[in-house]
Amino acid sequence: MKVIETDRLILRWLSTDDAAFILELLNDPSWLRFIGDKGVRTLENARNYILTGPMDMYSKLGFGLYLAELKDGRIPIGICGLIKRDSLEDVDIGFAFLSRFQSKGYAYEAASATMAYGIEQLGLNRILGITSKDNYDSSRLLEKIGMTFERIVILPHETEELKLFSSTF
Ligand SMILES: CC(C)(COP(=O)(O)OP(=O)(O)OC[C@H]1O[C@@H](n2cnc3c(N)ncnc32)[C@H](O)[C@@H]1OP(=O)(O)O)[C@@H](O)C(=O)NCCC(=O)NCCS
C-alpha cells in the first residue's frame, strides 16, 4: 500500500516480497555500524524481520517503517517511517538508506514527508528521534527536519547511551 509520495520517492508498506532488499539493507556497512547487527543473514531471516517488525506494527497501529523506492524504476533504496516502541513514550522517526543512495537528499525528502504525514494524517503532536552519539549524519538529518536535541538516554535493557531529539507541534 502506498502511503506517501514525494517528488522522487514513494513510501509504501513493506511486504515479504521485499526480503532481498531488506537482507541487503540490514547488512549494509552503515546499518551495521549505526543501528547494529540484527543477525539477518538469509532471505528467510529477512522475511521474518519484515513480518515481526514493520508488518506487525501496520496491523497493530496502522503505521510503521515504510519502504522508500525511487519513482523512477521503482528501485528500493531505503526505509523510513514512524515507530512506537514500548521503551519510549512517543512515536519516533526511523530511517536507513543503502550506502549507494546516501548523500543524494533522498533521506531528507523521505524524512520530511514522514514528519508531515505524522502531524497531518496521524495527528501526532510530538515526534522523537534517537540516534547513536557518533551518528552525525543521522543527528544532522533530525535537526534538518526540525528536531531539537533534548537529552542523552539509555533505553530499557540496553547499555548504549543515545541522543534523544524531539519536535512538538
Ligand atoms: C542517516 C542517513 C539516513 C542520512 O542519510 P543521507 O543520505 O546522508 O541524507 P541526505 O542525502 O538526505 O542528506 C545528506 C546530504 O546530502 C545533500 N544532498 C546531496 N544531493 C542532494 C539533493 N539532490 N537534494 C537534496 N540534498 C542533497 C544534502 O543537502 C545533505 O547535506 P547537508 O547534511 O550538508 O545538508 C544515512 O546516513 C543512513 O542511512 N545511515 C545508516 C542508517 C542510520 O544510521 N540510520 C539512522 C539510525 S538513528
Side-chain angles (χ1 to χ4, degrees), residues 8 25 28 30-31 34-35 93-99 101-109 130-132 135 137-142 144:
R8 296 178 294 171
L25 182 68
D28 187 285
S30 67
W31 177 292
F34 291 117
I35 298 180
I93 188 165
F95 36 67
F97 286 73
L98 291 175
S99 289
F101 293 106
Q102 291 177 17
S103 302
K104 296 179 191 305
Y106 293 131
Y108 174 72
E109 194 169 316
I130 47 168
T131 189
S132 297
N135 194 344
D137 290 343
S138 175
S139 293
R140 194 175 171 88
L141 180 56
L142 290 169
K144 260 176 80 170

Side-chain angles (χ1 to χ4, degrees), residues 6-125:
T6 67
D7 282 352
R8 296 178 294 171
L9 305 174
I10 287 172
L11 272 64
R12 65 157 173 85
W13 280 16
L14 281 149
S15 82
T16 50
D17 293 343
D18 300 308
F21 168 73
I22 289 296
L23 178 60
E24 184 182 359
L25 182 68
L26 270 58
N27 290 284
D28 187 285
S30 67
W31 177 292
L32 293 171
R33 173 166 176 210
F34 291 117
I35 298 180
D37 188 354
K38 304 281 183 197
V40 170
R41 299 285 180 268
T42 65
L43 283 175
E44 193 48 39
N45 296 159
R47 271 184 222 108
N48 200 39
Y49 174 88
I50 295 166
L51 279 169
T52 57
M55 287 181 69
D56 186 54
M57 204 168 284
Y58 308 149
S59 69
K60 288 186 175 139
L61 300 173
F63 60 84
L65 279 172
Y66 306 120
L67 179 90
E69 60 186 12
L70 295 180
K71 273 187 190 171
D72 189 5
R74 303 300 288 253
I75 296 162
I77 64 167
I79 57 176
C80 182
L82 296 162
I83 305 157
K84 178 67 192 76
R85 307 169 201 260
D86 292 340
S87 50
L88 286 175
E89 253 179 54
D90 295 292
V91 167
D92 66 288
I93 188 165
F95 36 67
F97 286 73
L98 291 175
S99 289
R100 63 179 181 280
F101 293 106
Q102 291 177 17
S103 302
K104 296 179 191 305
Y106 293 131
Y108 174 72
E109 194 169 316
S112 47
T114 297
M115 291 294 284
Y117 177 82
I119 300 163
E120 290 158 20
Q121 307 297 319
L122 303 179
L124 301 173
N125 49 32

